[in-house]
Amino acid sequence: MRFFEQLVYSLVVYLLLPVLFGYFAWRSLREADYRRGWPERLGFIGRHEPGAIWLHAASVGEAQAALPLVERLLKRYPERRVVITNFTPTGAALIKTRLGQQVEQLYLPVDTPLAVARFLRRLRPAMGVIVETELWPNLLLACGRRGLPMLLASATLSERSARRYRRFPGLHLMRAAMQAFQVVAVQSHADANRFMQLGVYEGRIEVSGNLKFDLTVPDDLAGKAATLRHDWSASARPLWLAASTHEGEEQMALAAFDALRPDHPGQLLVLVPRHPQRFDAVAGLLERSNLRFVRRSSGQPVTDQTQVLLVDTLGELMLFYAMADIAFVGGSLVPIGGHNLLEPAALGKPILTGPHYHSQQQLYDLLSEKNAIRCVADQSELIGTLQAMLASPDSCRVMGQDAQAVLAANRGALAAVEGAVTRGMLQALAANT
């Protein structure tokens, strides 16, 4: 049964390859990064010396969560090369920006038997770590056949996703693929139960928590943020941030800015669209609004006359969170599911989100329990809540402190996952002696 399911699954993946690469070609018309790495996506990478630690972080969220772990691994295993694979160019860009030449960044091959076999044959890693829940059957089965120690780190599986997997026609295939993991380090006991339903042995599951809670803030970040606000003559100006916004949310942010102008004529809005391909469209929106704005990529200074800063660069979001008085996190006033709430929480910022925060449900619940976050239903509530918060800086400060306390109380996953990686390395060394 499993062999038949794998055959059908692989055939479907092969048939979808033209669609996938056609999508990459279409995206590349607006984003040059989609033109890169095509050979890697078919497993054509350089031949590596054996023994690297391979870590996969699909996109920006997973890459952000993986950063503290990678930094620990670089210190603990300085003699070993660390190779990080991503699926999206934005995830790859984050790794390159934050880690540079300390690691090697590659794109994960598509999940065909030939591409996966070529990738593993040329990479020859000592072990593999997959962050969160990126489950590709052919890849996992190939790792299992090679006896490659595998760890699923900070894994989470919602009830909705678990139901989809249980209805997946290749359920036997997925159950077999999951046996490639020696350790499945999950975020919660509920996740543990769902992974057991997928066929993971109970003895292989560890409840370690969420790696994202172990987010580290660079020591010099606060100083950089304060210096930049001073250079912008913005130390005394109300500065609020609309981060990771999607189409429709920029319009709401600008409407809020306009509504706040009578009471806060000196306010500065920092606007950070989620996707680089929308930077020009948002710039066009700002031009039509007749607001005085500066594009971050232009190198032009922000002055006391600037009303909006459009951040059209990558890798700087944490800096702008550090500068902000209030942070709205996008993908939540439109039905996307919300984006990372951890960075503003780690920096002690009062946080606003829209009602569509289901992808951040766990953290939202923790922050909400401590009154460290506000949910706004629509544009009108966004305006009203911003007005109330800007009028009460002491309350905002308490919200930010409570958000930091939530993160401090939930740290610990990093040490647990690092321990699991160490056991995997010992297993790999034993297998090679």
Side-chain angles (χ1 to χ4, degrees):
M1 176 64 75
R2 193 203 85 188
F3 175 78
F4 175 73
E5 288 180 354
Q6 186 177 11
L7 183 64
V8 172
Y9 168 77
S10 299
L11 178 61
V12 170
V13 175
Y14 276 118
L15 291 173
L16 288 174
L17 285 183
V19 177
L20 177 65
F21 283 96
Y23 171 76
F24 290 155
W26 174 72
R27 290 290 294 268
S28 73
L29 296 176
R30 291 179 294 174
E31 298 173 72
D33 285 345
Y34 273 92
R35 299 170 199 159
R36 304 186 181 102
W38 285 30
E40 294 171 14
R41 294 184 187 275
L42 295 173
F44 290 103
I45 63 174
R47 295 191 178 275
H48 291 63
E49 291 295 321
I53 300 174
W54 161 48
L55 186 145
H56 177 64
S59 192
V60 173
E62 294 86 351
Q64 184 71 57
L67 287 173
L69 176 61
V70 174
E71 290 166 356
R72 288 276 190 98
L73 295 178
L74 289 169
K75 291 178 181 176
R76 190 178 185 94
Y77 302 102
E79 76 285 359
R80 290 187 180 270
R81 191 170 187 82
V82 175
V83 177
I84 300 179
T85 55
N86 307 99
F87 187 79
T88 67
T90 49
L94 178 65
I95 292 299
K96 291 175 181 176
T97 299
R98 295 290 295 274
L99 297 172
Q101 299 301 311
Q102 296 180 81
V103 302
E104 180 180 2
Q105 188 280 323
L106 299 169
Y107 284 104
L108 189 74
V110 293
D111 200 38
T112 64
L114 287 177
V116 163
R118 188 180 297 118
F119 170 80
L120 292 173
R121 188 171 61 248
R122 296 184 176 199
L123 182 60
R124 296 187 290 174
M127 73 168 300
V129 181
I130 296 178
V131 178
E132 296 196 6
T133 314
E134 184 88 354
L135 307 175
W136 295 106
N138 281 326
L139 177 66
L140 294 176
L141 289 169
C143 292
R145 284 194 298 271
R146 286 166 172 77
L148 180 66
M150 292 292 294
L151 164 67
L152 187 59
S154 198
T156 183
L157 191 64
S158 68
E159 183 57 41
R160 182 179 171 185
S161 297
R163 283 197 301 270
R164 279 204 304 265
Y165 278 120
R166 288 195 293 269
R167 294 170 185 162
F168 178 50
L171 181 59
H172 295 88
L173 173 62
M174 184 57 70
R175 285 179 177 272
M178 293 301 295
Q179 303 315 310
F181 293 112
Q182 280 69 47
V183 176
V184 176
V186 298
Q187 295 184 13
S188 70
H189 290 283
D191 292 315
N193 292 331
R194 291 172 192 136
F195 274 103
M196 281 190 281
Q197 292 171 13
L198 274 186
V200 180
Y201 301 133
E202 184 176 1
R204 295 186 180 183
I205 296 178
E206 299 179 6
V207 180
S208 61
N210 189 339
L211 268 179
K212 290 179 178 177
F213 285 115
D214 289 274
L215 175 70
T216 56
V217 176
D219 294 335
D220 61 348
L221 187 64
K224 286 182 177 178
T227 299
L228 196 54
R229 280 195 71 159
H230 178 268
D231 291 346
W232 290 354
S233 302
S235 298
R237 299 175 66 184
L239 191 159
W240 61 282
L241 173 71
S244 299
T245 54
H246 290 252
E247 186 174 1
E249 291 181 317
E250 293 92 5
Q251 289 90 333
M252 287 187 252
L254 294 180
F257 181 90
D258 192 56
L260 294 169
R261 288 168 75 176
D263 293 327
H264 303 281
Q267 67 177 313
L268 175 62
L269 167 62
V270 178
L271 192 57
V272 190
R274 174 71 174 181
H275 296 119
Q277 67 268 27
R278 297 191 58 249
F279 289 161
D280 289 342
V282 177
L285 176 66
L286 287 166
E287 287 173 356
R288 292 189 297 275
S289 73
N290 295 318
L291 292 172
R292 296 183 297 275
F293 77 98
V294 169
R295 294 182 69 148
R296 175 68 169 166
S297 63
S298 71
Q300 297 177 19
V302 174
T303 70
D304 56 4
Q305 297 301 306
T306 304
Q307 295 172 301
V308 181
L309 171 66
L310 172 60
V311 179
D312 56 351
T313 55
L314 297 176
E316 293 191 295
L317 182 55
M318 187 176 279
L319 172 63
F320 291 109
Y321 273 130
M323 294 178 64
D325 297 314
I326 300 170
F328 165 75
V329 181
S332 58
L333 279 170
V334 291
I336 300 297
H339 294 300
N340 189 358
L341 300 173
L342 284 157
E343 289 187 343
L347 290 161
K349 302 300 174 180
I351 306 167
L352 293 175
T353 180
H356 305 286
Y357 52 76
H358 55 265
S359 68
Q360 302 290 313
Q361 187 72 55
Q362 179 192 20
L363 180 54
Y364 176 85
D365 289 343
L366 291 169
L367 291 169
S368 181
E369 184 180 334
K370 299 297 182 181
N371 295 314
I373 192 168
R374 299 284 184 271
C375 179
V376 295
D378 51 28
Q379 176 180 301
S380 177
E381 284 196 12
L382 175 65
I383 294 169
T385 304
L386 281 168
Q387 286 174 330
M389 293 175 75
L390 288 172
S392 183
D394 289 341
S395 296
C396 287
R397 186 164 51 253
V398 171
M399 279 182 66
Q401 291 170 350
D402 289 341
Q404 283 183 314
V406 167
L407 261 65
N410 287 276
R411 292 183 185 274
L414 180 57
V417 172
E418 184 183 12
V421 172
T422 300
R423 295 195 297 277
M425 289 301 300
L426 291 174
Q427 180 180 338
L429 291 171
N432 292 325
T433 56

